[in-house]
Amino acid sequence: MTDKPTAAAREHLHRLADKGLKEPKLLQKEEVIALAVHVAGEHGHASEREHEIAKKAQHNPEGVTAAEIQALCAHVKGERTAR
């Protein structure tokens, strides 16, 4: 079994990322955590900064700034074009 998300899971993450890019502070705590878990699991694809934001968001999703949420969302949105 692989760790790759299913097509439905990827689509859900991309919808969250769209929402987060437009209105980052409207994302619910669980949505921020879902984005963070995904980015944290991207070994070799996420930057050092993105990994740090992802770790912070997993431990304290309410403590991340709008810009940090947008950075996570931008990473998720960038995956579709990069792969």
Side-chain angles (χ1 to χ4, degrees):
M1 187 149 202
T2 67
D3 290 336
K4 291 191 174 221
T6 64
R10 277 193 309 274
E11 187 61 35
H12 176 70
L13 282 172
H14 283 274
R15 281 192 306 257
L16 283 180
D18 285 335
K19 181 179 172 184
L21 285 170
K22 293 176 187 165
E23 295 290 337
K25 285 307 205 172
L26 292 182
L27 290 180
Q28 295 178 8
K29 180 172 120 174
E30 295 79 16
E31 293 172 329
V32 173
I33 292 170
L35 289 167
V37 166
H38 177 74
V39 172
E42 289 286 301
H43 303 292
H45 295 288
S47 71
E48 177 89 22
R49 179 177 176 266
E50 291 166 338
H51 271 288
E52 290 300 317
I53 294 168
K55 287 187 340 188
K56 177 181 173 182
Q58 286 179 29
H59 297 289
N60 184 14
E62 289 133 352
V64 292
T65 66
E68 290 171 330
I69 294 171
Q70 287 175 322
L72 295 176
C73 294
H75 173 81
V76 171
K77 291 304 290 180
E79 291 175 358
R80 181 173 282 169
T81 57
R83 292 184 186 167

